[in-house]
Amino acid sequence: TIQQLQATTSTSIQIDQEGSEFADAKKVTVRGSAENVAIAKAQIKQVLEEAVMPGEGEVEERVSCPSTLVGRIIGRGGETIRSLQGGSGAHILVDQNYPEGADSRVVVIKGRPDSVQRATAMVKDLISGEPGTASQIIAKHGVGSTVTL
């Protein structure tokens, strides 16, 4: 999303990964022309608002994941998490706000109820060490989303 915002607004966007006095707050620096910075700021605010509030008919599920297994959820270069998102139809995010040395991380799953249910089952299977690749786990739970006619 940051790369998309930079490309569409012709700006440079940097997020300070160091902690702040507020657990969820991160300093964001936007560089560019005044007009492009204003556009980028508006788009960043919109992205943050959408991230905080699930859309109409959407739900959110949080799954605890041991820190040692986060790599299994994300996969090499993000390949596994993208496959899980595509296979379930839900948005999956590993929360990057965690205390140093924490034993577990939170996986946030958002989307339509059927998609979230499917993605949650997939993530839990990966965490529990269910045998098989991400592709096999996705196939086990079905692909896509359920549409009610």
Side-chain angles (χ1 to χ4, degrees), residues 7-130:
T8 60
T9 62
S10 299
T11 59
S12 170
I13 301 172
Q14 302 262 314
I15 299 176
D16 185 0
Q17 296 302 321
E18 295 298 316
S20 74
E21 60 195 67
F22 303 104
D24 293 337
K26 300 277 187 193
K27 179 181 173 185
V28 178
T29 304
V30 182
R31 290 189 175 96
S33 71
E35 182 181 340
N36 289 347
V37 167
I39 293 168
K41 282 174 61 176
Q43 290 183 8
I44 291 168
K45 285 181 182 180
Q46 181 180 358
V47 167
L48 291 173
E49 288 170 3
E50 290 171 1
V52 171
M53 300 289 292
E56 187 175 321
E58 290 188 345
V59 296
E60 178 179 301
E61 182 79 28
R62 293 176 174 261
V63 178
S64 180
C65 176
S67 296
T68 57
L69 297 177
V70 168
R72 184 170 166 124
I73 304 298
I74 297 172
R76 182 175 291 143
E79 182 179 341
T80 302
I81 201 165
R82 282 193 301 274
S83 295
L84 293 170
Q85 290 179 121
S88 68
H91 180 72
I92 303 169
L93 174 76
V94 177
D95 190 352
Q96 299 299 317
N97 296 317
Y98 60 94
E100 190 173 324
D103 292 338
S104 66
R105 304 271 294 277
V106 176
V107 179
V108 181
I109 304 168
K110 295 180 185 179
R112 291 194 321 276
D114 61 307
S115 297
V116 169
Q117 181 181 18
R118 187 177 295 109
T120 301
M122 292 175 185
V123 168
K124 286 181 176 179
D125 278 359
L126 284 171
I127 292 170
S128 71
E130 185 78 19

